[in-house]
Amino acid sequence: MAEGEVRKRQIHYPPIPNGIDYLRDVIDRLACESGEPSERDLKYAVLHLQAAAEVLLKARLREEHWSLVISKAEKTNLKKFEKGEFESATNAETVRRLVEVVGLDISADDKKTLLDLATTRNQLQHWGITEEANAVLTRAADVLDFLIRFLDQHLLPHLDTDDEETVADDLEEIRTGLVRIESYVTSRMQRLKESDLKGHEARTVRCPDCQQLALIVDGVANNCLFCPRDWTDPLELASAYDNAFGYSPAPGDVYEDSLVDCPDCDTPTLVLEVETATGDGPVPLCFNCAEVQDDLEECVRCGRLYRPTDEEAICSDCFADLG
Ligand SMILES: [Zn+2]
Ligand SMILES: [Zn+2]
Ligand SMILES: [Zn+2]
């Protein structure tokens, strides 16, 4: 037996069953058949989901080399690692190492899902649950979906038979629980589409909290029917929307930002590419005016958007300026 194998066995502890155990707890809390999860269930579901993500992602780093789990490898040694006396890498750094050091393929969407979860966890630790149950549910489903794919691709194939048996039942529960959460989301969305959202398609956009196409922009209540919650501050909504779904401009694009000043209300609430429930492709929508601003031109002098009244090529400000 090679020396390396002995060493590996000595430091063996089961991070994968440990991570799966956290996931099982998340499912028990969120996919409860009794109905709505309590606030306490939501809280522990988020905390344990984050713990699961951390344990499982780091388990893959560990497989590569134990030192990858540690924030600063130059400040440690194997002895300290075995005793747990080390500072571990941050979430963002863990994901970066998985991609850039180990060479795994993690999509931009998945990365964002994971980092959003870490943010929700931090908010929760400071302020408690600030989000509606349905928003927690849909985001948790995205993370669960990612972690199950991650387990299937990168972790389960390396499990030894003992561990495999330990986790089999839990895995089964987790997979069926996720399907239950997802079908709850789908059937609820279907009902909304056929009832309260009907007729509002052109102003219905994706909610930054629950990510569902269920937020009716009216410039006043801006109510998401899925969460359900109101976004009464259009500035807050526009920037949350832009953070969640705004495009990242390529170098050379005219607009560095997908969130600009609306020429009608002079507020930075005009998002240039908004997907609506019509499915007709993105439109420029002002979250303050609650209007699709699709007849705007770009001023050749100052570069701002304006609404031409005739065929003029510059905005009224520039026009006045030139006197
Ligand atoms: Zn929502
Ligand atoms: Zn406006
Ligand atoms: Zn101008």
Side-chain angles (χ1 to χ4, degrees), residues 164-236:
E164 226 172 80
E165 272 171 35
T166 322
V167 301
D169 283 353
D170 282 347
L171 271 179
E172 173 98 32
E173 283 295 322
I174 292 163
R175 289 183 210 273
T176 51
L178 176 60
V179 172
R180 212 181 306 151
I181 295 175
E182 284 170 340
S183 66
Y184 163 79
V185 173
T186 322
S187 63
R188 198 180 136 81
M189 272 310 294
Q190 196 52 44
R191 273 202 307 281
L192 284 173
K193 263 186 234 162
E194 288 159 7
S195 57
D196 299 354
L197 289 171
K198 214 179 174 115
H200 300 284
E201 288 79 2
R203 300 278 186 287
T204 302
V205 306
R206 226 167 255 293
C207 165
D209 265 8
C210 67
Q211 328 255 314
Q212 301 302 305
L213 265 170
L215 194 163
I216 303 177
V217 179
D218 60 4
V220 186
N222 298 315
N223 182 222
C224 170
L225 301 181
F226 185 84
C227 279
R229 69 162 281 189
D230 289 345
W231 295 80
T232 46
D233 181 354
L235 279 166
E236 187 197 346

Side-chain angles (χ1 to χ4, degrees), residues 269-322:
T269 44
L270 176 60
V271 179
L272 294 176
E273 291 189 0
V274 176
E275 177 201 357
T276 68
T278 57
D280 291 340
V283 290
L285 179 76
C286 173
F287 285 89
N288 190 35
C289 303
E291 291 291 340
V292 173
Q293 309 281 23
D294 51 5
D295 47 0
L296 301 179
E297 294 283 343
E298 188 194 321
C299 171
V300 293
R301 185 164 176 264
C302 71
R304 282 184 308 173
L305 291 172
Y306 71 106
R307 178 171 295 106
T309 46
D310 209 355
E311 302 224 317
E312 78 271 20
I314 55 173
C315 71
S316 56
D317 285 355
C318 286
F319 196 76
D321 207 30
L322 291 172

Side-chain angles (χ1 to χ4, degrees), residues 57 60 95-111 114 146 149-150 153-154:
L57 295 180
R60 182 61 190 84
V95 175
R96 191 197 69 80
R97 288 179 189 182
L98 284 169
V99 174
E100 290 176 24
V101 181
V102 183
L104 304 189
D105 193 12
I106 298 180
S107 75
D109 279 353
D110 285 338
K111 270 186 218 167
L114 284 169
F146 167 76
R149 276 185 282 129
F150 190 83
Q153 279 173 26
H154 304 299

